[in-house]
Structure formats: structure tokens, C-alpha cells
Amino acid sequence: MHSNVKISVRGLKKSFEKLEVLKNITLDITEGEVVVLLGPSGSGKSTFLRCLNQLETVTDGTILVDGTDITAKHTDMNQVRESVGMVFQHFNLFHHLTVLENMTLAPVQLKKANRQQAEQTALQLLQRVGLADKATVCPAQLSGGQKQRVAIARALCMQPDIMLFDEPTSALDPEMVGEVLAVMKDLARAGMTMVVVTHEIGFAREVADRVIFMEGGYIIEQGAAKEVIDHPHEPRTIDFLSKVL
């Protein structure tokens, strides 16, 4: 594990009008670390994740990504987002484009690669997620698990340093969950820095370097996956895990 800090969060607060969703979160995530966020619905996990690439504007506090303060007014977020990939619950693929077109759109538009380079990279990544034969089909012809694997490969086309996953398996049928988690495990083994909001406790136990339990906008407990999942200290963590395990 590198001690190189990729994401540094200090005093993060986020409110939607009067509702305070994040209350003073301070956290460092180091290079190559896989961090899983657990907690009940409404605990602030997804909001925290969306703050990390400024899909949600923070109310107070600072977030540094690779040393760049992404909460500063003058920061070019488009540039920051090139190094921070995001995978959503509902895939967010463009239905009118083929799989290959979905994957090459951003790299070509953002001048990261010419079309030929982008297509070559996309095809390699499709092979990596086991979908080399799906390049020319449209998302409607794919299963949920295949769509999510395409969405992961699409994020990887931008060659990010950090990957954020917002409940990537919660919209999937149970038999498709494994194929998506397998791709994520593969990424983790390859050293990708990952922050994952999920309810997949088995994945957390197997892959996470650190599990963070959130409730009510606070970090209640954090530590090594086996510690937090198998020997939680805080009553609220114990209560939550007793319901999901």
C-alpha cells in the first residue's frame, strides 16, 4: 500500500436546504486503497461519493484530489473528472449509441485520444470485462450485468486514477451481481484506488482495505474490513450488520 494520499477530505458538510446530509466528514484515502462505504439508506454515503467528483457542490469543508482542491471556485472540474471515473446504479449509458460509441464518446470529445486509438482502447477494455463480442450492439440488447460491465469499461476508457462506484449492483438481478463484482475485484487487484458504496457485505469483506460505516451523515466506525464486519464496536454498526448479514 502506498502512503500517497489520493483523496483528502477535511470538515466536509453538505446540506440540501435545511437538511444536513453530511456533518463534518474528515478522511484520507491513499493510492491503491479500496474503501467500501456501508450504512443504512439516507446515511449520506451516495452524497459523499458525489461530492468527491463535485456532482454535488459541498456546503463547507475541502476535498483535495491528487492535491487539487476541487472545492475551490477556479478548479476545472472537467479536468479533475478525467482522472476520477464514476459508475452509477443505473448504468447511465446512451441508448441510441452502440457499446463502442458509448465508450469512445468522452475520450474523443475531450481530445484524450483520436477515434482509432479510442476504439482500440475500448475493445481491449471490453475484452477485459468479458464483452469483446458486444462492441456493435446497443445497450437495449444487453442484460443488466452486461450494461454495468460496459459502464465500468467506459469509465476506464478515460484512464482514471480513481474509480467511484455508487451502488453498482443494487439495480441488478441477483444472478448478475457476481459478474459485476468480479470485474471490480479484478480492478482492485490491479491497484486501482476505489471508493465503493454497496450493500454487498461479502465483496467488502473480501476486497476492501477499509470499511467505513456511516449513519446520519457521520462516520460512525471505520477500520479493516474483517474488523468492522466481524467485530464491530459501535452499537449502530452492530445493529446494522445484524440485519444485513
Side-chain angles (χ1 to χ4, degrees):
M1 181 85 83
H2 302 283
S3 55
N4 183 8
V5 175
K6 294 293 278 182
I7 301 171
S8 180
V9 179
R10 292 290 175 271
L12 176 64
K13 296 180 182 175
K14 173 63 185 173
S15 301
F16 296 99
E17 292 178 358
K18 293 213 165 55
L19 178 67
E20 201 177 11
V21 183
L22 296 175
K23 305 166 185 172
N24 206 6
I25 304 273
T26 290
L27 181 67
D28 283 341
I29 294 167
T30 57
E31 190 174 341
E33 192 176 13
V34 178
V35 175
V36 168
L37 302 175
L38 297 177
S41 294
S43 58
K45 307 181 303 292
S46 290
T47 302
F48 173 68
L49 200 69
R50 293 169 68 85
C51 286
L52 294 182
N53 67 356
Q54 289 288 281
L55 287 176
E56 298 291 355
T57 311
V58 307
T59 307
D60 199 14
T62 57
I63 302 171
L64 301 182
V65 174
D66 274 329
T68 299
D69 182 354
I70 66 168
T71 49
K73 293 276 180 281
H74 60 270
T75 299
D76 178 359
M77 267 322 292
N78 291 329
Q79 200 174 359
V80 174
R81 285 194 191 109
E82 288 179 22
S83 63
V84 183
M86 178 120 183
V87 177
F88 299 88
Q89 191 174 347
H90 296 293
F91 328 129
N92 292 16
L93 297 170
F94 295 106
H95 295 295
H96 61 289
L97 300 178
T98 66
V99 165
L100 194 60
E101 287 165 344
N102 263 287
M103 292 177 67
T104 54
L105 188 67
V108 171
Q109 276 191 344
L110 295 167
K111 309 249 187 303
K112 275 240 154 160
N114 63 39
R115 186 163 301 282
Q116 196 181 357
Q117 285 169 325
E119 286 184 359
Q120 201 176 355
T121 303
L123 290 168
Q124 285 167 349
L125 287 165
L126 281 176
Q127 192 156 14
R128 184 171 169 185
V129 300
L131 293 171
D133 55 336
K134 300 294 184 194
T136 57
V137 308
C138 284
Q141 295 160 272
L142 300 175
S143 71
Q146 289 171 330
K147 284 179 190 165
Q148 194 57 294
R149 284 187 283 155
V150 168
I152 294 171
R154 177 182 62 174
L156 292 173
C157 275
M158 292 298 289
Q159 296 162 343
D161 299 334
I162 299 165
M163 286 282 283
L164 309 177
F165 293 88
D166 192 4
E167 298 201 23
T169 59
S170 58
L172 300 178
D173 294 332
E175 69 270 20
M176 291 171 191
V177 169
E179 66 192 56
V180 172
L181 293 179
V183 171
M184 293 170 64
K185 286 174 190 173
D186 193 41
L187 268 182
R189 278 193 291 268
M192 177 68 74
T193 306
M194 294 163 61
V195 188
V196 185
V197 172
T198 186
H199 295 289
E200 298 292 334
I201 304 292
F203 172 82
R205 188 187 268 124
E206 187 185 340
V207 183
D209 296 301
R210 184 165 30 146
V211 166
I212 293 174
F213 177 75
M214 288 181 70
E215 189 178 81
Y218 291 104
I219 291 176
I220 303 293
E221 185 165 355
Q222 60 174 309
K226 286 185 174 55
E227 273 303 300
V228 175
I229 294 167
D230 297 333
H231 310 288
H233 297 297
E234 296 295 327
R236 282 179 282 181
T237 319
I238 294 167
D239 181 52
F240 173 78
L241 288 168
S242 72
K243 292 180 177 132
V244 295
L245 284 175

